[in-house]
Amino acid sequence: MRLKAALVSLLLCCPCAFCYGQLRFASVGGERGYSAIRAQYTADLDNGWIIIPQYGYYRMSDKDLEESGSTSRYGVNVLYEVTDTFVLLAEGILQPQSLGYEGVIYQGGVRWNPFYYWQGFKNPVIAVKFGQTRLRSYVDTNGYELPDGAFRQVGTLSEINAGVDITNHWNLQATWQKVIKYSSRVPDNVTFSWAEVPYMTAVLQGYLKDSMAARLSYQTDFITPYASLVRYHYDIRRAVSTAVSAGLHIRLWEVELTGGVEIFEPRRDENRKTYFSLSVEAPF
């Protein structure tokens, strides 16, 4: 049912969904019913524009009923290739009110490929983005309505992404994300239902302050093992948290399958847990 909803959402967001492009589904699941799903369709319009509608689903593991414990997000990425090496980026995400939370995120930036090959390094890419997040929490951490109404939080976002192929097989990616400023101090009894860290399908809970992540993979024609490490801080209780993931990426004809594990803290006050992820990508 969730996969059907994700596909319908993508088709509605992308009027050219039946032209050639790439359709990708990713999921992760674990104990107590925890699950998250990501879906996106990449449509290259062949005129410099690339449109990527996205859908996200998250079921909180501390809820008994799926109807009361699920949250969805809808988004779209727009890329415009100014030249072969310079691309403009824009992104918007809407999280409709659910479970006492809602939010909007919008970002813009540029991506640059400085050269093709130099001293064993190939296809380096650097991307910089800035934006803003506007979030509302209507309930406390126990699910009860806040007595003073919604807690509103506005964050100024910054992000740097980099990647490069090394020799003929290795690929290294790195991401640094930081909330330059939050408009309000987060009360101890307030959280947010959806937070993300790079290279993870999983969804966390809380207000993140910053994150640093790296992903290393060894590329072959058919099988590509990978591993990722993420270190991040919440806005409150500033002790560092760590998430890791590892798995295999398998290419069969034009279909690409990825299976792996993700280890992370679903919430700041929980211990790390292990979850299993699966994704599939195919031309459509």
Side-chain angles (χ1 to χ4, degrees):
M1 183 66 181
R2 280 169 278 169
L3 290 176
K4 181 179 179 181
L7 181 57
V8 170
S9 299
L10 289 172
L11 295 178
L12 290 176
C13 290
C14 183
C16 63
F18 291 103
C19 66
Y20 179 78
Q22 287 291 118
L23 183 63
R24 182 177 188 272
F25 283 100
S27 66
V28 61
E31 63 184 53
R32 298 181 64 190
Y34 178 100
S35 64
I37 290 177
R38 312 296 184 100
Q40 69 176 42
Y41 180 81
T42 302
D44 190 338
L45 304 187
D46 201 27
N47 59 359
W49 291 94
I50 299 175
I51 311 296
I52 309 175
Q54 300 174 333
Y55 171 78
Y57 171 95
Y58 169 44
R59 184 184 186 278
M60 298 167 65
S61 58
D62 54 353
K63 301 293 182 181
D64 295 328
L65 299 176
E66 181 174 327
E67 290 76 14
S68 65
S70 62
T71 301
S72 293
R73 272 190 172 187
Y74 306 87
V76 62
N77 284 354
V78 180
L79 292 73
Y80 180 68
E81 298 175 333
V82 180
T83 67
D84 291 339
T85 61
F86 190 76
V87 179
L88 299 179
L89 312 171
E91 177 184 20
I93 296 174
L94 170 65
Q95 180 179 328
Q97 184 173 342
S98 177
L99 307 177
Y101 305 95
E102 65 178 338
V104 174
I105 301 173
Y106 44 89
Q107 297 186 91
V110 296
R111 190 180 71 193
W112 179 45
N113 297 80
F115 56 85
Y116 174 71
Y117 182 85
W118 180 76
Q119 297 292 323
F121 296 95
K122 185 168 63 174
N123 291 324
V125 59
I126 301 173
V128 179
K129 294 191 291 186
F130 294 93
Q132 195 172 76
T133 176
R134 294 179 173 269
L135 310 175
R136 292 186 182 185
S137 300
Y138 297 91
V139 297
D140 61 18
T141 53
N142 295 316
Y144 298 112
E145 290 189 8
L146 296 174
D148 299 326
F151 172 74
R152 294 172 171 82
Q153 184 67 286
V154 179
T156 303
L157 309 176
S158 61
E159 179 177 333
I160 299 176
N161 297 286
V164 65
D165 293 324
I166 305 172
T167 66
N168 292 325
H169 295 288
W170 293 99
N171 175 264
L172 176 63
Q173 300 178 49
T175 297
W176 177 78
Q177 298 175 333
K178 183 176 180 60
V179 178
I180 299 173
K181 181 181 180 181
Y182 274 125
S183 61
S184 305
R185 182 184 181 279
V186 182
D188 291 337
N189 67 331
V190 174
T191 188
F192 194 74
S193 63
W194 194 301
E196 299 182 353
V197 292
Y199 313 128
M200 304 282 286
T201 304
V203 176
L204 287 67
Q205 298 177 39
Y207 292 92
L208 295 185
K209 182 64 176 177
D210 56 64
S211 66
M212 298 179 62
R215 184 181 190 272
L216 182 66
S217 59
Y218 185 80
Q219 303 172 333
T220 69
D221 291 339
F222 301 104
I223 299 177
T224 299
Y226 69 89
S228 303
L229 172 65
V230 189
R231 293 173 66 84
Y232 55 97
H233 293 94
Y234 288 91
D235 190 47
I236 56 177
R237 301 172 184 168
R238 294 297 303 279
V240 65
S241 299
T242 303
V244 296
S245 65
L248 287 176
H249 182 84
I250 302 173
R251 182 180 180 87
L252 300 173
W253 297 282
E254 294 188 11
V255 177
E256 300 182 6
L257 303 173
T258 303
V261 296
E262 298 185 1
I263 304 173
F264 61 96
E265 300 166 346
R267 298 190 304 192
R268 183 65 190 91
D269 55 355
E270 293 186 357
N271 295 324
R272 295 188 187 93
K273 296 180 174 61
T274 301
Y275 298 85
F276 298 93
S277 61
L278 176 67
S279 69
V280 59
E281 184 171 342
F284 190 82

